[in-house]
Amino acid sequence: MPLKISPSILSADFAQLGAEIRAIEEAGCDWVHVDVMDGHYVPNLTIGPDVCAAIRPHIKTVMDVHLMIEPADPFLEAFAKAGADHISIHPEAHPHLDRSLQVIRDLGCKAGVALNPSTPAVVIEHVLDRLDLIIVMSVNPGFGGQSFLHSQLDKIRTLKKMTGERDILIEVDGGINTQTAPLVVAAGADVLVAGSAVYGKGGQDMSVYASNIKAIRQAGNLAVN
Ligand code: DX5
Ligand code: ZN
């Protein structure tokens, strides 16, 4: 399966999210990664369902929603109604993970889990049949622009073995750039989230998005070719 790139709009210019999304899609991204943070489960606050609904008409690809909120259960329906294609939740924040994943699928979305760096792969062993997506956090969630944690490569390899022939994608989120992309793809990643490596640090120069996405994709593909 071809490698997918899901730029995180966390690093985009929030004053013009519609234009930023159209630009990354024109630049060749596969999905649009939306980081939702609550200032409680993670030490940062970002956006909620209303902003997701507002950006939805600008997304032609896939709205890949990553919920870093605790609890997520009371808000799952709102994110589905806002147009999320994927909803990923953190098992560390959800004691009844099996039920929450069922709810996500019942709402018509693909269901994902996101595993913090300290969370072992085994946490999802008994919910594999409820999963479409596993996000391996290669930084501690909360902020863009952090350094990749090499300790997560082993977990990606473990998950690749654990998922076997199942139709579950492994997405890696945090610190992905042209140096780290080949490492995670070699370990088994199918989807790469990248915030700062696509958008750049600070200056929103949309002309660089296509070359940034292409460079990450090429670096990742080097690992498998
Ligand atoms: C971290 C978020 C990531 C992050 C990625 O909590 O889930 O999606 O924004 O940003 P970079 O690619 O800059 O590490
Ligand atoms: Zn994310």
mmCIF file of all heavy atoms in Angstrom, residues 6-11 33-37 42 44 66 68 90 135 137-148 172-177 193-198 201, ligand 1:
data_model
loop_
_atom_site.group_PDB
_atom_site.id
_atom_site.type_symbol
_atom_site.label_atom_id
_atom_site.label_comp_id
_atom_site.label_asym_id
_atom_site.label_seq_id
_atom_site.Cartn_x
_atom_site.Cartn_y
_atom_site.Cartn_z
ATOM 1 N N SER A 6 -0.253 12.645 6.325
ATOM 2 C CA SER A 6 -1.369 13.350 6.957
ATOM 3 C C SER A 6 -0.828 14.578 7.696
ATOM 4 O O SER A 6 -0.458 14.496 8.870
ATOM 5 C CB SER A 6 -2.065 12.371 7.931
ATOM 6 O OG SER A 6 -3.243 12.913 8.469
ATOM 7 N N PRO A 7 -0.743 15.731 7.017
ATOM 8 C CA PRO A 7 -0.211 16.919 7.687
ATOM 9 C C PRO A 7 -1.097 17.353 8.853
ATOM 10 O O PRO A 7 -2.331 17.352 8.734
ATOM 11 C CB PRO A 7 -0.203 17.989 6.593
ATOM 12 C CG PRO A 7 -0.228 17.235 5.301
ATOM 13 C CD PRO A 7 -1.052 15.998 5.595
ATOM 14 N N SER A 8 -0.465 17.715 9.966
ATOM 15 C CA SER A 8 -1.218 18.192 11.132
ATOM 16 C C SER A 8 -1.433 19.688 11.004
ATOM 17 O O SER A 8 -0.462 20.462 10.953
ATOM 18 C CB SER A 8 -0.451 17.895 12.418
ATOM 19 O OG SER A 8 -1.004 18.668 13.463
ATOM 20 N N ILE A 9 -2.710 20.108 11.025
ATOM 21 C CA ILE A 9 -2.998 21.537 10.886
ATOM 22 C C ILE A 9 -2.662 22.323 12.153
ATOM 23 O O ILE A 9 -2.800 23.535 12.185
ATOM 24 C CB ILE A 9 -4.460 21.799 10.455
ATOM 25 C CG1 ILE A 9 -5.449 21.236 11.477
ATOM 26 C CG2 ILE A 9 -4.715 21.262 9.065
ATOM 27 C CD1 ILE A 9 -6.876 21.743 11.278
ATOM 28 N N LEU A 10 -2.169 21.611 13.176
ATOM 29 C CA LEU A 10 -1.713 22.293 14.394
ATOM 30 C C LEU A 10 -0.642 23.341 14.069
ATOM 31 O O LEU A 10 -0.523 24.352 14.755
ATOM 32 C CB LEU A 10 -1.143 21.234 15.357
ATOM 33 C CG LEU A 10 -0.794 21.653 16.770
ATOM 34 C CD1 LEU A 10 -2.010 22.211 17.488
ATOM 35 C CD2 LEU A 10 -0.229 20.472 17.547
ATOM 36 N N SER A 11 0.138 23.082 13.037
ATOM 37 C CA SER A 11 1.214 24.018 12.686
ATOM 38 C C SER A 11 0.787 25.007 11.601
ATOM 39 O O SER A 11 1.610 25.791 11.125
ATOM 40 C CB SER A 11 2.447 23.245 12.197
ATOM 41 O OG SER A 11 2.922 22.387 13.213
ATOM 42 N N HIS A 33 -4.825 15.893 9.188
ATOM 43 C CA HIS A 33 -4.796 15.484 10.596
ATOM 44 C C HIS A 33 -5.199 16.665 11.485
ATOM 45 O O HIS A 33 -4.594 17.742 11.428
ATOM 46 C CB HIS A 33 -3.380 15.018 10.935
ATOM 47 C CG HIS A 33 -3.227 14.403 12.284
ATOM 48 N ND1 HIS A 33 -3.559 13.095 12.550
ATOM 49 C CD2 HIS A 33 -2.750 14.912 13.447
ATOM 50 C CE1 HIS A 33 -3.290 12.820 13.826
ATOM 51 N NE2 HIS A 33 -2.810 13.911 14.387
ATOM 52 N N VAL A 34 -6.222 16.435 12.317
ATOM 53 C CA VAL A 34 -6.767 17.505 13.159
ATOM 54 C C VAL A 34 -6.530 17.139 14.624
ATOM 55 O O VAL A 34 -7.088 16.162 15.131
ATOM 56 C CB VAL A 34 -8.276 17.691 12.875
ATOM 57 C CG1 VAL A 34 -8.830 18.835 13.710
ATOM 58 C CG2 VAL A 34 -8.527 17.941 11.389
ATOM 59 N N ASP A 35 -5.699 17.915 15.303
ATOM 60 C CA ASP A 35 -5.333 17.648 16.697
ATOM 61 C C ASP A 35 -6.243 18.410 17.645
ATOM 62 O O ASP A 35 -6.199 19.635 17.709
ATOM 63 C CB ASP A 35 -3.871 18.059 16.934
ATOM 64 C CG ASP A 35 -2.906 17.055 16.335
ATOM 65 O OD1 ASP A 35 -3.058 15.858 16.613
ATOM 66 O OD2 ASP A 35 -2.003 17.467 15.580
ATOM 67 N N VAL A 36 -7.036 17.658 18.388
ATOM 68 C CA VAL A 36 -8.005 18.254 19.323
ATOM 69 C C VAL A 36 -7.474 18.065 20.744
ATOM 70 O O VAL A 36 -7.256 16.935 21.185
ATOM 71 C CB VAL A 36 -9.380 17.580 19.160
ATOM 72 C CG1 VAL A 36 -10.365 18.121 20.186
ATOM 73 C CG2 VAL A 36 -9.918 17.772 17.742
ATOM 74 N N MET A 37 -7.256 19.176 21.451
ATOM 75 C CA MET A 37 -6.666 19.117 22.806
ATOM 76 C C MET A 37 -7.530 19.894 23.786
ATOM 77 O O MET A 37 -8.096 20.940 23.427
ATOM 78 C CB MET A 37 -5.263 19.722 22.781
ATOM 79 C CG MET A 37 -4.347 19.099 21.740
ATOM 80 S SD MET A 37 -2.681 19.736 21.882
ATOM 81 C CE MET A 37 -1.925 18.987 20.431
ATOM 82 N N VAL A 42 -4.089 16.824 27.945
ATOM 83 C CA VAL A 42 -2.767 17.296 27.500
ATOM 84 C C VAL A 42 -2.636 18.773 27.863
ATOM 85 O O VAL A 42 -3.647 19.470 27.974
ATOM 86 C CB VAL A 42 -2.575 17.119 25.968
ATOM 87 C CG1 VAL A 42 -2.378 15.671 25.591
ATOM 88 C CG2 VAL A 42 -3.729 17.725 25.183
ATOM 89 N N ASN A 44 -2.354 21.581 26.614
ATOM 90 C CA ASN A 44 -2.544 22.568 25.555
ATOM 91 C C ASN A 44 -4.008 22.525 25.133
ATOM 92 O O ASN A 44 -4.682 21.506 25.321
ATOM 93 C CB ASN A 44 -1.637 22.225 24.359
ATOM 94 C CG ASN A 44 -1.490 23.369 23.380
ATOM 95 O OD1 ASN A 44 -1.955 24.485 23.619
ATOM 96 N ND2 ASN A 44 -0.840 23.096 22.256
ATOM 97 N N HIS A 66 -7.788 13.439 15.710
ATOM 98 C CA HIS A 66 -7.033 12.854 16.832
ATOM 99 C C HIS A 66 -7.470 13.564 18.107
ATOM 100 O O HIS A 66 -7.141 14.728 18.325
ATOM 101 C CB HIS A 66 -5.530 13.061 16.545
ATOM 102 C CG HIS A 66 -4.632 12.618 17.651
ATOM 103 N ND1 HIS A 66 -3.285 12.944 17.680
ATOM 104 C CD2 HIS A 66 -4.852 11.861 18.762
ATOM 105 C CE1 HIS A 66 -2.731 12.405 18.758
ATOM 106 N NE2 HIS A 66 -3.661 11.756 19.434
ATOM 107 N N MET A 68 -7.270 14.327 21.813
ATOM 108 C CA MET A 68 -6.470 14.278 23.041
ATOM 109 C C MET A 68 -7.295 14.945 24.132
ATOM 110 O O MET A 68 -6.974 16.036 24.609
ATOM 111 C CB MET A 68 -5.131 14.994 22.805
ATOM 112 C CG MET A 68 -4.187 14.186 21.936
ATOM 113 S SD MET A 68 -2.911 15.187 21.146
ATOM 114 C CE MET A 68 -3.795 15.700 19.684
ATOM 115 N N HIS A 90 -7.443 8.152 22.958
ATOM 116 C CA HIS A 90 -6.339 7.600 23.761
ATOM 117 C C HIS A 90 -6.890 6.594 24.777
ATOM 118 O O HIS A 90 -7.720 6.972 25.609
ATOM 119 C CB HIS A 90 -5.611 8.729 24.489
ATOM 120 C CG HIS A 90 -4.607 9.421 23.628
ATOM 121 N ND1 HIS A 90 -3.267 9.183 23.716
ATOM 122 C CD2 HIS A 90 -4.772 10.324 22.623
ATOM 123 C CE1 HIS A 90 -2.623 9.915 22.817
ATOM 124 N NE2 HIS A 90 -3.518 10.619 22.146
ATOM 125 N N ILE A 135 -2.550 4.963 16.094
ATOM 126 C CA ILE A 135 -1.577 6.065 16.047
ATOM 127 C C ILE A 135 -0.509 5.795 17.100
ATOM 128 O O ILE A 135 -0.820 5.669 18.289
ATOM 129 C CB ILE A 135 -2.235 7.440 16.319
ATOM 130 C CG1 ILE A 135 -3.331 7.741 15.290
ATOM 131 C CG2 ILE A 135 -1.188 8.533 16.338
ATOM 132 C CD1 ILE A 135 -4.023 9.101 15.484
ATOM 133 N N MET A 137 2.236 7.472 19.072
ATOM 134 C CA MET A 137 2.748 8.805 19.395
ATOM 135 C C MET A 137 4.264 8.714 19.557
ATOM 136 O O MET A 137 4.759 8.053 20.484
ATOM 137 C CB MET A 137 2.124 9.330 20.701
ATOM 138 C CG MET A 137 0.634 9.617 20.647
ATOM 139 S SD MET A 137 0.125 10.727 19.325
ATOM 140 C CE MET A 137 1.123 12.188 19.661
ATOM 141 N N SER A 138 4.971 9.402 18.679
ATOM 142 C CA SER A 138 6.432 9.389 18.767
ATOM 143 C C SER A 138 6.952 10.664 19.416
ATOM 144 O O SER A 138 8.144 10.981 19.357
ATOM 145 C CB SER A 138 7.046 9.149 17.386
ATOM 146 O OG SER A 138 6.346 9.852 16.399
ATOM 147 N N VAL A 139 6.033 11.399 20.047
ATOM 148 C CA VAL A 139 6.358 12.469 21.007
ATOM 149 C C VAL A 139 5.276 12.388 22.084
ATOM 150 O O VAL A 139 4.252 11.744 21.883
ATOM 151 C CB VAL A 139 6.313 13.895 20.373
ATOM 152 C CG1 VAL A 139 7.338 14.059 19.271
ATOM 153 C CG2 VAL A 139 4.917 14.240 19.858
ATOM 154 N N ASN A 140 5.493 13.055 23.204
ATOM 155 C CA ASN A 140 4.421 13.160 24.197
ATOM 156 C C ASN A 140 3.402 14.171 23.672
ATOM 157 O O ASN A 140 3.777 15.279 23.278
ATOM 158 C CB ASN A 140 4.996 13.588 25.549
ATOM 159 C CG ASN A 140 5.756 12.445 26.194
ATOM 160 O OD1 ASN A 140 5.165 11.460 26.621
ATOM 161 N ND2 ASN A 140 7.078 12.551 26.218
ATOM 162 N N PRO A 141 2.116 13.780 23.633
ATOM 163 C CA PRO A 141 1.136 14.630 22.963
ATOM 164 C C PRO A 141 0.970 15.982 23.659
ATOM 165 O O PRO A 141 1.110 16.097 24.867
ATOM 166 C CB PRO A 141 -0.152 13.806 23.041
ATOM 167 C CG PRO A 141 0.043 12.845 24.150
ATOM 168 C CD PRO A 141 1.521 12.562 24.196
ATOM 169 N N GLY A 142 0.660 16.984 22.856
ATOM 170 C CA GLY A 142 0.407 18.318 23.405
ATOM 171 C C GLY A 142 0.924 19.444 22.526
ATOM 172 O O GLY A 142 0.318 20.495 22.463
ATOM 173 N N PHE A 143 2.033 19.197 21.848
ATOM 174 C CA PHE A 143 2.654 20.285 21.087
ATOM 175 C C PHE A 143 3.297 19.771 19.803
ATOM 176 O O PHE A 143 3.789 18.638 19.772
ATOM 177 C CB PHE A 143 3.737 20.972 21.935
ATOM 178 C CG PHE A 143 3.218 21.481 23.242
ATOM 179 C CD1 PHE A 143 3.345 20.719 24.403
ATOM 180 C CD2 PHE A 143 2.561 22.708 23.312
ATOM 181 C CE1 PHE A 143 2.830 21.174 25.607
ATOM 182 C CE2 PHE A 143 2.041 23.156 24.518
ATOM 183 C CZ PHE A 143 2.175 22.393 25.672
ATOM 184 N N GLY A 144 3.304 20.628 18.796
ATOM 185 C CA GLY A 144 4.065 20.331 17.590
ATOM 186 C C GLY A 144 5.530 20.678 17.812
ATOM 187 O O GLY A 144 5.896 21.276 18.833
ATOM 188 N N GLY A 145 6.357 20.271 16.889
ATOM 189 C CA GLY A 145 7.758 20.691 16.900
ATOM 190 C C GLY A 145 8.659 20.009 17.912
ATOM 191 O O GLY A 145 9.760 20.487 18.177
ATOM 192 N N GLN A 146 8.237 18.882 18.487
ATOM 193 C CA GLN A 146 9.094 18.184 19.458
ATOM 194 C C GLN A 146 9.966 17.148 18.735
ATOM 195 O O GLN A 146 9.711 16.768 17.601
ATOM 196 C CB GLN A 146 8.233 17.461 20.489
ATOM 197 C CG GLN A 146 7.277 18.354 21.266
ATOM 198 C CD GLN A 146 6.463 17.534 22.275
ATOM 199 O OE1 GLN A 146 6.943 17.164 23.333
ATOM 200 N NE2 GLN A 146 5.222 17.243 21.924
ATOM 201 N N SER A 147 10.980 16.670 19.465
ATOM 202 C CA SER A 147 11.903 15.704 18.850
ATOM 203 C C SER A 147 11.351 14.295 18.895
ATOM 204 O O SER A 147 10.759 13.871 19.904
ATOM 205 C CB SER A 147 13.246 15.711 19.580
ATOM 206 O OG SER A 147 13.801 16.977 19.480
ATOM 207 N N PHE A 148 11.567 13.571 17.838
ATOM 208 C CA PHE A 148 11.140 12.179 17.672
ATOM 209 C C PHE A 148 11.763 11.285 18.753
ATOM 210 O O PHE A 148 12.961 11.388 19.044
ATOM 211 C CB PHE A 148 11.595 11.717 16.288
ATOM 212 C CG PHE A 148 11.253 10.306 15.967
ATOM 213 C CD1 PHE A 148 9.986 9.978 15.503
ATOM 214 C CD2 PHE A 148 12.202 9.298 16.100
ATOM 215 C CE1 PHE A 148 9.666 8.660 15.194
ATOM 216 C CE2 PHE A 148 11.890 7.986 15.790
ATOM 217 C CZ PHE A 148 10.625 7.659 15.344
ATOM 218 N N VAL A 172 2.046 7.133 12.407
ATOM 219 C CA VAL A 172 3.027 7.595 13.391
ATOM 220 C C VAL A 172 2.969 9.116 13.462
ATOM 221 O O VAL A 172 2.942 9.797 12.430
ATOM 222 C CB VAL A 172 4.446 7.084 13.052
ATOM 223 C CG1 VAL A 172 5.448 7.548 14.110
ATOM 224 C CG2 VAL A 172 4.441 5.557 12.977
ATOM 225 N N ASP A 173 2.902 9.631 14.682
ATOM 226 C CA ASP A 173 2.586 11.044 14.924
ATOM 227 C C ASP A 173 3.595 11.672 15.877
ATOM 228 O O ASP A 173 3.640 11.318 17.062
ATOM 229 C CB ASP A 173 1.163 11.115 15.519
ATOM 230 C CG ASP A 173 0.655 12.533 15.700
ATOM 231 O OD1 ASP A 173 1.384 13.482 15.368
ATOM 232 O OD2 ASP A 173 -0.487 12.683 16.179
ATOM 233 N N GLY A 174 4.374 12.620 15.342
ATOM 234 C CA GLY A 174 5.272 13.400 16.190
ATOM 235 C C GLY A 174 6.729 13.307 15.756
ATOM 236 O O GLY A 174 7.283 12.216 15.663
ATOM 237 N N GLY A 175 7.303 14.468 15.446
ATOM 238 C CA GLY A 175 8.726 14.516 15.108
ATOM 239 C C GLY A 175 9.080 13.862 13.786
ATOM 240 O O GLY A 175 10.229 13.463 13.570
ATOM 241 N N ILE A 176 8.085 13.753 12.886
ATOM 242 C CA ILE A 176 8.374 13.134 11.572
ATOM 243 C C ILE A 176 8.968 14.188 10.635
ATOM 244 O O ILE A 176 8.430 15.276 10.461
ATOM 245 C CB ILE A 176 7.086 12.528 10.959
ATOM 246 C CG1 ILE A 176 6.554 11.379 11.832
ATOM 247 C CG2 ILE A 176 7.344 12.062 9.520
ATOM 248 C CD1 ILE A 176 7.471 10.175 11.952
ATOM 249 N N ASN A 177 10.090 13.820 10.043
ATOM 250 C CA ASN A 177 10.748 14.673 9.036
ATOM 251 C C ASN A 177 11.507 13.753 8.076
ATOM 252 O O ASN A 177 11.312 12.527 8.139
ATOM 253 C CB ASN A 177 11.680 15.693 9.728
ATOM 254 C CG ASN A 177 12.662 15.008 10.679
ATOM 255 O OD1 ASN A 177 13.145 13.899 10.392
ATOM 256 N ND2 ASN A 177 12.942 15.630 11.812
ATOM 257 N N VAL A 193 2.123 11.360 10.097
ATOM 258 C CA VAL A 193 1.618 12.688 10.458
ATOM 259 C C VAL A 193 2.829 13.612 10.487
ATOM 260 O O VAL A 193 3.870 13.232 11.017
ATOM 261 C CB VAL A 193 0.951 12.674 11.848
ATOM 262 C CG1 VAL A 193 0.530 14.084 12.261
ATOM 263 C CG2 VAL A 193 -0.251 11.738 11.851
ATOM 264 N N ALA A 194 2.688 14.799 9.930
ATOM 265 C CA ALA A 194 3.795 15.761 10.030
ATOM 266 C C ALA A 194 3.217 17.159 10.125
ATOM 267 O O ALA A 194 2.395 17.556 9.289
ATOM 268 C CB ALA A 194 4.713 15.641 8.821
ATOM 269 N N GLY A 195 3.598 17.875 11.180
ATOM 270 C CA GLY A 195 3.148 19.251 11.365
ATOM 271 C C GLY A 195 4.224 20.212 10.910
ATOM 272 O O GLY A 195 4.193 20.752 9.803
ATOM 273 N N SER A 196 5.237 20.380 11.751
ATOM 274 C CA SER A 196 6.252 21.395 11.444
ATOM 275 C C SER A 196 7.049 21.073 10.185
ATOM 276 O O SER A 196 7.469 21.985 9.473
ATOM 277 C CB SER A 196 7.165 21.613 12.645
ATOM 278 O OG SER A 196 7.485 20.399 13.264
ATOM 279 N N ALA A 197 7.220 19.788 9.859
ATOM 280 C CA ALA A 197 8.011 19.445 8.661
ATOM 281 C C ALA A 197 7.255 19.763 7.374
ATOM 282 O O ALA A 197 7.866 19.881 6.319
ATOM 283 C CB ALA A 197 8.405 17.967 8.691
ATOM 284 N N VAL A 198 5.929 19.927 7.457
ATOM 285 C CA VAL A 198 5.167 20.324 6.265
ATOM 286 C C VAL A 198 4.989 21.841 6.246
ATOM 287 O O VAL A 198 5.247 22.503 5.246
ATOM 288 C CB VAL A 198 3.776 19.640 6.225
ATOM 289 C CG1 VAL A 198 2.895 20.262 5.141
ATOM 290 C CG2 VAL A 198 3.933 18.142 5.981
ATOM 291 N N LYS A 201 8.409 26.215 10.415
ATOM 292 C CA LYS A 201 8.299 26.758 11.771
ATOM 293 C C LYS A 201 8.001 28.247 11.710
ATOM 294 O O LYS A 201 8.868 29.054 11.423
ATOM 295 C CB LYS A 201 9.596 26.515 12.546
ATOM 296 C CG LYS A 201 9.685 25.075 13.020
ATOM 297 C CD LYS A 201 10.936 24.834 13.841
ATOM 298 C CE LYS A 201 11.024 23.352 14.168
ATOM 299 N NZ LYS A 201 12.379 22.896 14.403
HETATM 300 C C1 DX5 B 1 1.100 16.227 19.108
HETATM 301 C C2 DX5 B 1 0.196 16.109 17.902
HETATM 302 C C3 DX5 B 1 0.925 15.986 16.608
HETATM 303 C C4 DX5 B 1 1.857 17.116 16.313
HETATM 304 C C5 DX5 B 1 2.773 16.775 15.187
HETATM 305 O O1 DX5 B 1 0.345 16.205 20.247
HETATM 306 O O2 DX5 B 1 -0.640 14.972 18.026
HETATM 307 O O3 DX5 B 1 0.021 15.763 15.530
HETATM 308 O O4 DX5 B 1 1.177 18.281 16.011
HETATM 309 O O5 DX5 B 1 3.616 17.861 14.996
HETATM 310 P P1 DX5 B 1 5.140 17.698 14.572
HETATM 311 O O6 DX5 B 1 5.142 17.000 13.235
HETATM 312 O O7 DX5 B 1 5.618 19.102 14.481
HETATM 313 O O8 DX5 B 1 5.822 16.880 15.619
#
